[in-house]
Amino acid sequence: DDAGATGAGAIARAAIPDAVLAIVGPDDERMRSGLESLARHAGIGSQVVFTGMLRGEDKAAALARIHSGSSDVAVPVFDRSADLSRAGAAIISSASRIVLVEGNYLLLDAEPWQQTARLFDMTVFLSVPREILEQRLVRRWLDHGLAPDAARTRALSNDIPNALLVMERSRPADVVLDN
């Protein structure tokens, strides 16, 4: 499990043994690219599935089904160009022995996220100072074509409050990485 506030970034490198890997998380292109490259390097590139967003109880339920390993699990894929999630567009194989889950709220000390705690063998929280988060989030919206004032307003009115919630109300992680 890799958790952290919006804009914290994602785990870019990890040691992955020769196994089937499934990646469950939002549509972060940098994370997708880095993890697909890592999987190819480990010789498992053709078996990587990167899913779209699952929220709240839907994500908790999907994670429980994936964790059980009893059957394949259909998950959505986020289509950035259409700005929507396509239901059931990817399958997490029941043969997946390593499942990397990425998301902002995974360690949140509130339901339904408390239900997911038992599903993770290890948790990682990416810690980023608020000032850097603000810079990254404003840059994200500028890169999406928003004007500077609109990008700042969007980051400060939505993303930063969510980031503060995650930073202030998350359960402790096994590992905290400064990012």
Side-chain angles (χ1 to χ4, degrees):
D1 164 40
D2 155 26
T6 299
I11 292 177
R13 297 183 321 185
I16 303 204
D18 186 17
V20 176
L21 170 69
I23 303 167
V24 180
D27 66 314
D28 186 315
E29 289 298 326
R30 288 170 301 164
M31 180 181 182
R32 180 187 314 214
S33 174
L35 289 169
E36 286 176 345
S37 174
L38 179 65
R40 276 192 305 277
H41 180 71
I44 55 175
S46 63
Q47 300 164 339
V48 173
V49 175
F50 196 99
T51 72
M53 293 183 185
L54 285 168
R55 298 183 187 267
E57 292 177 4
D58 292 338
K59 190 165 199 169
L63 291 174
R65 289 193 314 274
I66 292 167
H67 187 263
S68 77
S70 60
S71 65
D72 293 351
V73 178
V75 294
V77 172
F78 192 78
D79 182 342
R80 175 56 65 193
S81 64
D83 198 30
L84 58 85
S85 189
R86 300 197 183 276
I91 303 294
I92 302 297
S93 169
S94 61
S96 298
R97 295 187 319 212
I98 298 173
V99 179
L100 175 66
V101 181
E102 192 273 341
N104 296 328
Y105 303 109
L106 296 173
L107 294 177
L108 199 63
D109 196 14
E111 289 300 336
W113 306 112
Q114 291 168 328
Q115 300 171 34
T116 64
R118 65 180 174 75
L119 303 176
F120 302 121
D121 295 320
M122 182 177 134
T123 58
V124 177
F125 187 88
L126 302 177
S127 178
V128 179
R130 179 183 171 150
E131 302 76 37
I132 294 174
L133 285 175
E134 285 183 20
Q135 292 170 8
R136 289 179 182 175
L137 292 165
V138 169
R139 170 58 41 206
R140 173 191 289 175
W141 295 118
L142 289 169
D143 291 347
H144 280 285
L146 270 64
D149 287 344
R152 183 156 181 76
T153 297
R154 179 110 183 227
L156 294 178
S157 66
N158 181 60
D159 298 330
I160 290 298
N162 287 335
L164 292 174
L165 173 71
V166 168
M167 293 184 324
E168 294 167 2
R169 301 228 8 242
S170 287
R171 295 181 310 277
D174 298 319
V175 177
V176 176
L177 299 175
D178 293 328
N179 191 26

